[in-house]
Amino acid sequence: MVNRITICLSCFCASAISAVFWQKLPSTHSMALMIAILIISVTIIIFISTTKPAEHHAFPEVLLCWAVSGLLSGVLWVASVGHFYYAWQLPQGKIQQDVTISGRVVSGGCVFGTARVLEATYHYVVAIESVNRESTATFLDKGILSPLPKRVLTSTFNFKARLTHQRYEFPNDRKSEGLANKKIAYAQQETIGVRPQSVSPSQVKLNCLHNGDTFTAIVKLKPAYGTANPVGASRQQQLVSQFIHATGYIKSIEHDKTKHNHSVRYGLATTLQKLDLIHERWWRALLLGDKTGFTLGDWTLLQRTGTGHMFSISGMHLSLIAGVCLLFFNPVIFLLTHVTGLLGRAKYWLVRSASINYPATGRKNRELQTSKMFQTSAPIRASVLCVLIAACFCYALLSGSALPVVRALILVTMGCVLSLSRHAWRPVNVALTMLTLSLLLFPFSILSASFYLSIGAVLCIWFLVVVWGLHRAPWYVSLFKLQVALTVIMMPLTLIWFGNASFIAVVTNLIALPVISLLLPICLISLLVIHFVEFSFAQQITGMLMHYSDACLGYLLSLLNVLSQFSGSAINFYVSSDAALCLIVAFFIFLLPTWRYKAICVALLLLPSLSIFQKWLPTNESIWALHVFDAGQASAIAVTAGGRAMIIDSGAQFNGNAHTATKHLLPFLESRHISNIDVVVHTHSDNDHAGGALAIEQHALAKKATFYTPTLGCERGKRIRWQNLTINFLWPPNGNKEDNNAMSCVVKITSDSGSVLIPGDIEKTSEYALITREIMDGFSEGASMDTLASSTNLSADILIAPHHGSKTSSTNVFIEHVAPKAVIFTQGYENRWQFPAYVVAKRYERLGVTQYLTSYHGYINATFDKDSFHIDSQRGTLNNRWYLPGIAPRHLKD
């Protein structure tokens, strides 16, 4: 029976996790067919189990039915949850419209008492409980809520949104309030607004919502969407993994309707703040799982030292709490057992002395009664384990019930239940049950890194304990071996998800793990005592312990800072997911006992990892590629040829962070093993084109790069040869001193296989000037009128739409002179300018030009080889996934 269930659970987990690679969800018809097959398989299993002898239960046909049942159950579970998620999407009529909602803050709220800064931005995850009548009618008209009864429409529905809130308001001043709303108009893009300088701090009303608060507010919403690039975190995937349906920002809150439901976690955070600890933000992360106070330097420290898991409440922390509980209850069990045993013996001797002449049958009854007396420790043990489960459950609630904590809680609960029932399961059965329950409770966690890192760490520990027999070795030897092996095994996973790994993680974890293991239970108990116990002496003692622990944590952080400064402490390195998985499997096989073909298997699995040496191998320089990144309402383009690259524009920068350049463009070039960036062109100095200039200039690949701007080297008539490509600068005129849209650099890249024209943000005037100059140059060279009708210098196979598709550009005559086969619009989803303009898109359509939009297609790649080129897109042929669908701009629909 156990083997059959093992097969079923294995197939369930495999098929559920395979949903990560699905291009689309199964249709309702195919799901109905799968349900029918599942019912047939289950019926066969029940029939054979009830009518056939036990030896028939292990027949291949029966095992096949178990496997089919598991596979179909996994597919149907994820598919049904996926369809349910998309059934609650934001209707078209409510995108970017003012909507009055009543909601409850699920996470992201303030967890400390009073605000310390005047300006801050919070990102709340809100469960929308009701909407105004107009919004409800719209939801009903679109069929979103049609399956629900009417009484539900005015109360609650399952819709989660991630809202941005600027934490300052201007009471009793409508003009100031309107100005503030304009200042936070980009809050949905996660940028922080700037408080008007004319408003004094005394005029600002500080307010923020806490977890559990219910409120009424006017918000603007749009679907859960994000940029799609081949390298870097996918915000859209992250939103789906958290079951968030929409994003947006809060325009105003009706504070008289806000109900503050402060939780115990909020009270503990307030108590923690009152202690005035030096490293308060670190304690909030360690004890309460709140990392909102972390700075960029803190995140960098955790990344370079590989200690991020220690300051995120995880299974390790819950295991420590369980261990402390067992250590505390062991003396209690010992005392109660021995006291009970002594009482039982005394009663036995009293009974024996009073009935010494009883017959033999009475003696047997007395012996049976005495043996039962000695079994009174079983209820005590059961009570202790129940208290242990309750303590771990409370800690999981306190930490926010994240996947790693719930996974550890499942393991602890299973261990206690098996211990009480006196059953012994094999580790593989425990692991499969844990994995199955995790997938049932968190089905979309398969899209997040925490699932693989958390589950992978547990499975690795079990594997290593069994293979190396670590349970028989001294604890310090086991700890050292486990830490080294885990660091090596988990490194490919961190490279897949984050593109970086820490080489000093072995040392830092060996140092930090004992310190955190000691401080965590002491400080958590101290915080609970300070918060709940009113006895002053106890509060003084625990407060002193907290301050001493704060000093110890400071020494630990100082040491981690020193270690992180070593060169090579961490690397940014990019390997394909296939190569990384092969590397993990190779390491596991290497740890297994020796067998005949073991070395051959390891060598074959290591072959994909040799791609890291690609940049030292000769390349085909006849092939080159254009890479247009999905940079939102910005432009970021790269051209690669022969292992080298040039960059044309680098995306936007917000609050000093050039996200596109640092998280997508440069990491992408590193993942392609580019050896040098030779040419960097910024078509003009606007933030949406040159926001990443400093980041590129400081990068190691661009040390020898030549930079061009409208006022520096970019001038009409200049021509350079680069990697067998010809780069022509067509605009601005010689001697230009202006750096604006009209004088944007116009760059044309040409080869025998095709050409690309990148005109920046030029508008009609510059387009006409370009055409006029081409015609004049043609006359001076004696060209015929037919030749002048389509200027050879402007013509290109692929055109990057001028000014993101603004109606001030892309004139008919300009498009006719360029005569592109494809046009690429670099624009953001639901941008306020509505790029590309409807008339512009229709203009290209009438001329038969294939159109690509970065907001819809994501990253776009055009590969030129020999005499042809082909175009791929991230949401099209490169990474088409059901949880990353493209959404076409509403204003382009007829």
Side-chain angles (χ1 to χ4, degrees), residues 118 136 210 233 278 341 370 403 439 698 742 796 867:
L118 292 179
T136 302
H210 315 110
I278 298 175
T370 303
L403 170 64
L439 291 172
Q698 294 176 346
D867 298 328

Side-chain angles (χ1 to χ4, degrees), residues 817-830:
H817 274 78
V818 177
K821 297 176 182 176
V823 61
I824 300 174
F825 298 100
T826 56
Q827 38 75 243
Y829 173 69
E830 288 297 326

Side-chain angles (χ1 to χ4, degrees), residues 62-329:
V62 180
L63 297 180
L64 178 62
C65 288
W66 281 96
V68 170
S69 300
L71 288 171
L72 295 180
S73 298
V75 172
L76 287 171
W77 172 241
V78 178
S80 59
V81 175
H83 282 294
F84 179 78
Y85 172 82
Y86 283 112
W88 293 90
Q89 291 303 296
L90 188 67
Q92 293 282 335
K94 288 303 169 186
I95 296 178
Q96 295 288 55
Q97 301 297 315
D98 288 354
V99 180
T100 301
I101 67 166
S102 293
R104 176 177 55 84
V105 180
V106 177
S107 63
C110 314
V111 293
F112 47 94
T114 57
R116 294 185 175 182
V117 294
L118 292 179
E119 300 168 7
T121 298
Y122 285 93
H123 305 289
Y124 307 133
V125 175
V126 175
I128 299 178
E129 298 179 348
S130 65
V131 294
N132 58 11
R133 291 182 179 272
E134 180 184 354
S135 300
T136 302
T138 303
F139 274 78
L140 182 60
D141 292 340
K142 295 294 181 179
I144 302 300
L145 303 180
S146 55
L148 301 179
K150 290 185 178 180
R151 60 183 176 86
V152 180
L153 295 178
T154 57
S155 57
T156 304
F157 56 91
N158 186 16
F159 191 83
K160 288 172 67 176
R162 187 174 186 268
L163 301 179
T164 301
H165 179 215
Q166 195 77 8
R167 199 186 62 192
Y168 62 80
E169 296 177 7
F170 304 85
N172 303 321
D173 188 350
R174 293 186 177 273
K175 292 183 179 180
S176 298
E177 184 177 356
L179 180 59
N181 291 335
K182 290 181 181 179
K183 291 294 182 181
I184 62 173
Y186 290 101
Q188 73 273 22
Q189 296 181 5
E190 300 187 23
T191 62
I192 299 177
V194 180
R195 182 169 53 85
Q197 299 297 323
S198 59
V199 180
S200 63
S202 61
Q203 294 178 277
V204 179
K205 178 181 177 182
L206 295 176
N207 203 333
C208 60
L209 299 172
H210 315 110
N211 293 345
D213 288 0
T214 56
F215 67 97
T216 300
I218 298 176
V219 302
K220 277 196 173 183
L221 299 175
K222 62 180 182 179
Y225 204 58
T227 59
N229 289 293
V231 175
S234 171
R235 181 170 178 262
Q236 187 176 2
Q237 181 175 335
Q238 180 187 16
L239 292 172
V240 175
S241 69
Q242 297 174 0
F243 221 83
I244 295 174
H245 305 81
T247 60
Y249 66 93
I250 297 174
K251 295 188 66 176
S252 63
I253 299 178
E254 299 181 19
H255 295 289
D256 55 333
K257 296 183 180 180
T258 300
K259 296 180 180 180
H260 296 282
N261 302 313
H262 294 165
S263 62
V264 175
R265 187 184 186 195
Y266 171 81
L268 291 173
T270 305
T271 301
L272 184 63
Q273 184 196 18
K274 293 177 180 178
L275 294 175
D276 289 328
L277 301 176
I278 298 175
H279 306 96
E280 177 193 338
R281 65 182 185 276
W282 292 93
W283 288 114
R284 287 210 310 270
L286 186 60
L287 300 179
L288 302 175
D290 171 47
K291 299 184 286 294
T292 55
F294 276 4
T295 64
L296 182 60
D298 297 334
W299 289 111
T300 303
L301 174 65
L302 295 178
Q303 174 187 326
R304 294 188 65 84
T305 57
T307 53
H309 62 285
M310 292 191 183
F311 293 94
S312 300
I313 293 183
S314 61
M316 182 196 77
H317 298 75
L318 188 133
S319 302
L320 288 174
I321 299 301
V324 170
C325 291
L326 287 178
L327 288 176
F328 175 78
F329 284 120

Side-chain angles (χ1 to χ4, degrees), residues 15 38 46 79 216-217 248 250 288 368 498 505 517 543 663 735 811 822 832 867 871:
S15 60
L38 177 62
I46 295 174
T216 300
I250 297 174
L288 302 175
L368 180 62
F498 308 113
S517 301
K663 302 299 182 183
T811 57
R832 63 172 176 168
D867 298 328
I871 299 178

Side-chain angles (χ1 to χ4, degrees), residues 296-464:
L296 182 60
D298 297 334
W299 289 111
T300 303
L301 174 65
L302 295 178
Q303 174 187 326
R304 294 188 65 84
T305 57
T307 53
H309 62 285
M310 292 191 183
F311 293 94
S312 300
I313 293 183
S314 61
M316 182 196 77
H317 298 75
L318 188 133
S319 302
L320 288 174
I321 299 301
V324 170
C325 291
L326 287 178
L327 288 176
F328 175 78
F329 284 120
N330 266 338
V332 176
I333 297 174
F334 178 80
L335 290 175
L336 290 177
T337 303
H338 281 71
V339 169
T340 306
L342 290 174
L343 292 176
R345 289 186 180 184
K347 186 175 181 180
Y348 167 72
W349 286 110
L350 288 175
V351 171
R352 182 179 180 184
S353 61
S355 57
I356 192 169
N357 294 322
Y358 278 14
T361 55
R363 186 179 300 113
K364 289 181 179 180
N365 291 333
R366 290 194 302 274
E367 290 176 356
L368 180 62
Q369 184 179 4
T370 303
S371 64
K372 291 181 179 179
M373 292 179 186
F374 287 104
Q375 295 177 2
T376 54
S377 62
I380 299 174
R381 185 162 165 268
S383 301
V384 168
L385 292 180
C386 290
V387 172
L388 173 65
I389 294 174
C392 293
F393 180 76
C394 293
Y395 183 73
L397 291 178
L398 183 66
S399 66
S401 301
L403 170 64
V405 184
V406 175
R407 183 261 306 156
L409 178 62
I410 292 172
L411 279 180
V412 171
T413 304
M414 289 177 59
C416 293
V417 171
L418 292 174
S419 177
L420 290 175
S421 61
R422 299 184 181 278
H423 284 88
W425 282 12
R426 291 183 298 171
V428 64
N429 297 327
V430 177
L432 285 172
T433 304
M434 173 200 68
L435 185 56
T436 301
L437 291 175
S438 299
L439 291 172
L440 290 173
L441 294 174
F442 302 92
F444 281 173
S445 62
I446 57 177
L447 304 178
S448 65
S450 63
F451 174 83
Y452 300 96
L453 296 177
S454 175
I455 300 296
V458 174
L459 298 181
C460 289
I461 290 174
W462 278 345
F463 178 82
L464 296 172

Side-chain angles (χ1 to χ4, degrees), residues 612-675:
I612 61 176
F613 303 106
Q614 180 179 345
K615 64 180 178 180
W616 289 291
L617 298 176
T619 57
N620 186 353
E621 297 189 2
S622 64
I623 299 177
W624 62 284
L626 171 74
H627 311 275
V628 182
F629 294 89
D630 187 1
Q633 187 54 44
S635 178
I637 303 169
V639 177
T640 57
R644 308 178 82 88
M646 69 177 294
I647 293 174
I648 302 100
D649 291 338
S650 54
Q653 173 186 222
F654 296 106
N655 304 313
N657 180 23
H659 182 80
T660 300
T662 57
K663 302 299 182 183
H664 299 296
L665 194 156
L666 291 170
F668 171 82
L669 296 180
E670 293 175 352
S671 69
R672 291 296 183 97
H673 309 292
I674 297 299
S675 58

